[in-house]
Amino acid sequence: MFFNKKNNDLENLRFRYDDELEDKEKIELKHNKSKSSKEKIPFKDIFAMIIAQYAIMIPIMLGACVVFGLLLFIIVKVLMRG
């Protein structure tokens, strides 16, 4: 059958969403969100995340500055000779 490839019988076949299952998923999702929102992140962890972000961003920014500086040097010294 088209909708039920695994089983030949129709007992596990659902044509539309089951409202009870959908409501259970919503309730579980709310419950999980409420648990995670109550947990307080310590300042040490927040500070560690900030340092990690800067450790990633600073080399990228320095590389961008070097590329921009080389591009500016090429434009000023080579292309505007005259």
Side-chain angles (χ1 to χ4, degrees), residues 31-67:
H31 186 65
N32 290 339
K33 281 185 179 178
S34 65
K35 276 187 175 180
S36 64
S37 64
K38 290 180 182 178
E39 295 175 8
K40 183 163 173 60
I41 300 173
F43 177 74
K44 288 168 61 174
D45 290 342
I46 294 173
F47 190 65
M49 287 187 276
I50 292 171
I51 291 173
Q53 288 175 353
Y54 279 112
I56 293 170
M57 292 300 292
I58 286 176
I60 293 172
M61 292 298 181
L62 290 175
C65 289
V66 168
V67 169

Side-chain angles (χ1 to χ4, degrees), residues 10-81:
L10 296 175
E11 67 184 60
N12 294 327
L13 180 65
R14 280 188 266 164
F15 289 98
R16 60 186 169 91
Y17 288 115
D18 190 2
D19 292 335
E20 291 179 16
L21 290 175
E22 194 171 330
D23 290 341
K24 285 181 184 177
E25 290 173 1
K26 287 180 183 178
I27 291 170
E28 288 176 5
L29 186 64
K30 281 183 181 179
H31 186 65
N32 290 339
K33 281 185 179 178
S34 65
K35 276 187 175 180
S36 64
S37 64
K38 290 180 182 178
E39 295 175 8
K40 183 163 173 60
I41 300 173
F43 177 74
K44 288 168 61 174
D45 290 342
I46 294 173
F47 190 65
M49 287 187 276
I50 292 171
I51 291 173
Q53 288 175 353
Y54 279 112
I56 293 170
M57 292 300 292
I58 286 176
I60 293 172
M61 292 298 181
L62 290 175
C65 289
V66 168
V67 169
F68 184 72
L70 287 174
L71 183 65
L72 190 62
F73 177 76
I74 290 171
I75 290 172
V76 170
K77 293 292 183 181
V78 176
L79 297 177
M80 297 180 71
R81 285 188 207 171

